[in-house]
Amino acid sequence: MGFVSFLTMTKRFTRIIAILLLLSLTTASASQEFCDARMDYSVVGCGGSDSTSQTILIKGGTVVNAHHQQVADVFIDNGIVTDVKPNIKVSDEVTIVDATGKFVMPGGIDPHTHLEFEFMGTETIDDFFSGQAAALAGGTTMHIDFVIPVNGSLSSGFKAYVEKAKKSCMDYGFHMAITKWDDTVAREMEIMVKEKGINSFKFFLAYKGALMINDELLLEGLKKCKSVGALAMVHAENGDAVFEGQKRMIELGITGPEGHALSRPPLLEAEATARAIRLAGFVNTPLYVVHVMSVEAMEEIAKARQSGQRVVGEPVASGLVLDDSGLWDPDFYTAAKFVMSPPIRAAGHGKALQAALSTGVLQLVGTDHCTFNSTQKAFGIDDFRKIPNGVNGIEERMHLVWDTMVASGKISVTDYVRITSTECARIFNIYPQKGAILPGSDADIIILNPNSSFQISSNSHHSRSDTNVYEGWIGKGKVEITIAGGRIVWENNELKVKRGSGKYIKMPPFSYVFDGIEKADASYISSLRAPVNRFKGMQ
Ligand code: URP
Ligand code: ZN
Ligand code: ZN
C-alpha cells in the first residue's frame, strides 16, 4: 500500500470513529443544529446561536459594489440590507461588527458547482451541506448547481435535486443539463423555466457515451433556449476527438493522469467552443461557455464578442491559477487530484485567462467544484479514462481571485466584486437581490481583511475531500466574516451553519443578455431580400 493510500485510510478511520462518537453524543436540541460543518467527520464544538436572523450593523468598512465603493455602515434586518450610509445610529440590542480598514462586499456567487453529482460511476464527495459549508467558510454565499436529468427526464432530475438540496445551509439556484431530445424534453424545458425557476440549460459536447449530445440536439436546444429566454451553456470539447485521443494514448502505453491532458489538447476545446459559438450565432441566441481553460478557446470567445455576438466566458479558479505540472507528478494520487475536463493547461494559459478576465473578454469566475477523494480517484489507477473528473474550489475561489488578481494589482476591488458576484447575479437575472449591497438586497455579505493572509490545506478545509488541488497555497487577503441570509455564519475561523436554512432562488428568464435580440432577428429577416417574387408562368 502506498503512503498516500495509507494516509487516506487512516483519515477515513478517524472519521468513522468521529462519526460514531458524534452519534452517541448528539441529542435533538435546537442549539445543536448549528455546528461546524466538519462535525460530519471530526468532533468539534457546536455553536449555540439560534436560527432567527440577526439585526447587525457593520460599521466603518469600505462598502464595495461593482459600480461604486464608499466608506459606510451597513444595517441588516431580518435577512435584508435596509440601509447603507455613513454613521448609522442603532439601539443597544443590535450586533455591531467593526469593519474599519476592511472591505465589505457582496458574498461570492459561484456559477458552476456539482454537489452530490453522480458521475463516472461514483458521486461527488461534497453534498449540499458540506459543499455549502465549505463555500461559506471561503466567502461564497450562493452557488448555482447543475441538475442532471434522470434518464433524460428533466422533471425527475429536478425532483431528485430538490431532495438533495433540502440539507442546504446557504442559498442556491439550479442550471439544468440537457442529455437527450424529444417533444417531452422540449415541453419540460418550458415548465422548468416558467414554473421551476431555471433559466439556463447546459449542453455537454464531451463525455461521449454519457452526457454528450450531438450538433442536431444542440441546435434544437439553442432554438428552445431562445424561445423561452433561457441561457444556453456549453461544455466545449469535441467529445468524438477526445475519444480518439484517449485511444491514441492507451495505444502508446500512456495510462497515467498525464494521458488525460494529452488526450484532450486545447485544439479540441477551441474547436468545440468555435462550433458552439457559430451555432448560437446562427440561431441568434446568447451563449455561455463554461470552464474556459485555454488561450485558444478564450480567443474564440474574444473574436465572437468583438464581432458583436453575445457570448459569456467563464474561467474557473483552477484554470486561472494552476498549471498542468501536477498531472506529471510521479505519485498517482497527487497527479489524479488534478484531473478535470477540459484539462488544466500548461503554464501560460492561466495568466492569459487572468488578463482576459481583467479586460472584460471573460466575464465571471466559477469553480466547477466537483470533488472526488483519493479512493474515488484511484478507480483510474490503471487507466486515466476511469479517473473521475473534477477538482475542488468552492471554498478557495474568493481567496485565490483576490490574491492573484487584486493583491497583485491586476484588477480593482470593484472589478473583484463584479467577477465574483455581481456579473453572475446579472447574467442569471437575480440582481440586485443578489450580487449587491444595496437597500433591499439579501444580506449575503463578506468582510475581507486585505492585511491578513490565508493558507489552504486539506487538513483545515471544509470540503469532505482528503485532498486539495491548492494544497499549501499561502496568499494575501482573508475573508474574516461571512454573513448569509442575515446571519453571521463564519467568524473567528468558526462555522455556524444550519442544515435546511438555505433557500432555493428562482431565476427568471430573459436576463439582460437577451435585450434587443428580437431587433437583431428583425434586421436579419429584412436583410434577406427574400423570398423573391417570381412569375411562375410560361414566358
Ligand atoms: O471535470 C469536470 N469538469 N467535472 C465536472 C463535470 C463538468 O464537465 O463540468
Ligand atoms: Zn463541464
Ligand atoms: Zn462542471
Side-chain angles (χ1 to χ4, degrees):
M1 185 189 307
F3 179 62
V4 173
S5 52
F6 172 74
L7 264 184
T8 309
M9 284 191 62
T10 313
K11 241 181 152 177
R12 202 169 313 126
F13 182 65
T14 316
R15 286 175 189 182
I16 290 167
I17 297 289
I19 289 167
L20 289 175
L21 249 174
L22 188 72
L23 285 175
S24 69
L25 290 174
T26 303
T27 67
S29 86
S31 69
Q32 281 179 319
E33 284 181 294
F34 293 92
C35 302
D36 189 304
R38 292 177 69 85
M39 68 179 282
D40 277 4
Y41 44 81
S42 67
V43 181
V44 294
C46 284
S49 20
D50 61 46
S51 66
T52 51
S53 68
Q54 300 160 303
T55 306
I56 303 169
L57 182 70
I58 305 172
K59 270 208 89 56
T62 301
V63 180
V64 190
N65 280 299
H67 64 283
H68 180 63
Q69 69 180 65
Q70 63 174 137
V71 174
D73 299 345
V74 180
F75 189 64
I76 295 167
D77 190 22
N78 205 20
I80 302 290
V81 174
T82 57
D83 213 351
V84 184
K85 64 182 183 198
N87 300 318
I88 298 175
K89 301 276 178 276
V90 291
S91 64
D92 288 347
E93 300 90 72
V94 173
T95 305
I96 307 279
V97 176
D98 182 10
T100 309
K102 301 174 188 175
F103 291 106
V104 180
M105 300 183 281
I109 309 176
D110 189 338
H112 188 158
T113 62
H114 300 278
L115 303 179
E116 259 172 287
F117 172 33
E118 286 168 40
F119 187 47
M120 297 185 73
T122 184
E123 188 176 70
T124 52
I125 193 91
D126 279 323
D127 63 17
F128 276 81
F129 182 66
S130 69
Q132 293 182 351
L136 291 168
T140 287
T141 52
M142 179 179 170
H143 70 117
I144 314 178
D145 209 84
F146 287 88
V147 172
I148 307 298
V150 176
N151 298 323
S153 162
L154 310 197
S155 49
S156 304
F158 184 78
K159 239 192 203 155
Y161 271 74
V162 166
E163 271 313 301
K164 292 179 198 220
K166 279 187 175 157
K167 54 183 93 60
S168 287
C169 55
M170 75 182 202
D171 291 356
Y172 59 95
F174 288 145
H175 313 287
M176 183 169 270
I178 300 296
T179 52
K180 76 167 197 186
W181 193 257
D182 57 25
D183 290 346
T184 309
V185 171
R187 236 185 349 266
E188 285 195 320
M189 280 176 75
E190 273 183 53
I191 295 170
M192 290 303 134
V193 172
K194 290 185 180 147
E195 297 173 18
K196 306 295 185 194
I198 287 178
N199 69 3
S200 48
F201 295 96
K202 180 174 176 184
F203 302 88
F204 287 91
L205 308 186
Y207 305 127
K208 189 177 165 87
L211 298 167
M212 180 172 142
I213 53 101
N214 61 20
D215 288 353
E216 185 185 1
L217 194 158
L218 178 59
L219 270 170
E220 291 297 342
L222 289 168
K223 285 191 295 178
K224 192 73 198 175
C225 279
K226 178 177 183 175
S227 73
V228 295
L231 186 54
M233 310 174 86
V234 280
H235 171 131
E237 285 183 292
N238 185 316
D240 287 316
V242 166
F243 188 73
E244 182 59 30
Q246 289 175 329
K247 269 198 309 195
R248 193 188 289 172
M249 289 310 126
I250 297 295
E251 278 162 21
L252 288 169
I254 302 168
T255 59
E258 70 281 12
H260 177 76
L262 295 170
S263 65
R264 43 208 311 156
L267 174 74
L268 305 189
E269 187 188 349
E271 187 280 330
T273 305
R275 179 162 35 105
I277 286 172
R278 280 157 182 73
L279 293 182
F282 179 59
V283 173
N284 187 31
T285 196
L287 182 73
Y288 181 113
V289 183
V290 305
H291 48 44
V292 178
M293 298 295 280
S294 63
V295 172
E296 289 85 340
M298 177 268 286
E299 284 175 346
E300 293 296 339
I301 293 167
K303 241 190 328 189
R305 287 177 64 85
Q306 218 166 15
S307 77
Q309 197 178 331
R310 292 150 196 246
V311 181
V312 175
E314 170 213 82
V316 291
S318 54
L320 288 168
V321 308
L322 299 175
D323 65 44
D324 67 351
S325 52
L327 287 159
W328 269 260
D329 195 284
D331 174 63
F332 169 83
Y333 291 92
T334 303
K337 75 178 177 179
F338 294 100
V339 168
M340 68 167 286
S341 295
I344 296 165
R345 305 299 185 184
H349 287 266
K351 283 262 163 37
L353 296 175
Q354 288 177 27
L357 194 53
S358 66
T359 51
V361 170
L362 302 174
Q363 288 71 48
L364 73 169
V365 183
T367 62
D368 200 3
H369 183 84
C370 183
T371 43
F372 300 100
N373 66 15
S374 302
T375 310
Q376 293 170 302
K377 290 280 183 180
F379 295 163
I381 196 153
D382 297 318
D383 182 344
F384 67 83
R385 295 172 297 183
K386 297 186 181 142
I387 301 171
N389 290 194
V391 302
N392 63 292
I394 201 168
E395 183 168 357
E396 296 81 9
R397 178 185 71 127
M398 296 295 280
H399 282 123
L400 291 168
V401 175
W402 182 275
D403 185 38
T404 54
M405 301 205 60
V406 184
S408 69
K410 289 193 174 82
I411 59 170
S412 65
V413 184
T414 48
D415 277 348
Y416 173 78
V417 168
R418 177 174 56 77
I419 65 177
T420 58
S421 182
T422 310
E423 192 52 30
C424 182
R426 291 184 68 233
I427 288 168
F428 295 104
N429 221 3
I430 49 173
Y431 181 87
Q433 177 190 358
K434 301 288 185 188
I437 304 180
L438 293 170
S441 299
D442 285 357
D444 292 345
I445 291 173
I446 59 171
I447 300 177
L448 184 143
N449 184 348
N451 299 316
S452 190
S453 62
F454 69 91
Q455 185 159 2
I456 298 173
S457 167
S458 60
N459 293 321
S460 54
H461 72 197
H462 296 80
S463 160
R464 289 205 181 111
S465 182
D466 58 346
T467 66
N468 191 311
V469 290
Y470 310 103
E471 187 68 40
W473 192 295
I474 297 173
K476 274 198 180 142
K478 167 122 172 72
V479 175
E480 293 185 335
I481 292 181
T482 306
I483 297 172
R487 285 187 44 248
I488 298 173
V489 292
W490 170 251
E491 191 179 22
N492 301 323
N493 292 319
E494 229 180 80
L495 266 176
K496 289 179 180 162
V497 291
K498 182 182 192 287
R499 280 176 188 270
S501 61
K503 293 189 305 293
Y504 175 58
I505 304 296
K506 283 188 163 186
M507 298 182 288
F510 293 106
S511 82
Y512 87 94
V513 292
F514 280 86
D515 288 353
I517 282 277
E518 69 293 343
K519 290 192 184 120
D521 280 340
S523 74
Y524 163 74
I525 299 287
S526 67
S527 75
L528 296 179
R529 300 187 299 116
V532 175
N533 284 324
R534 292 193 177 83
F535 178 68
K536 299 271 176 58
M538 296 284 282
Q539 293 253 326

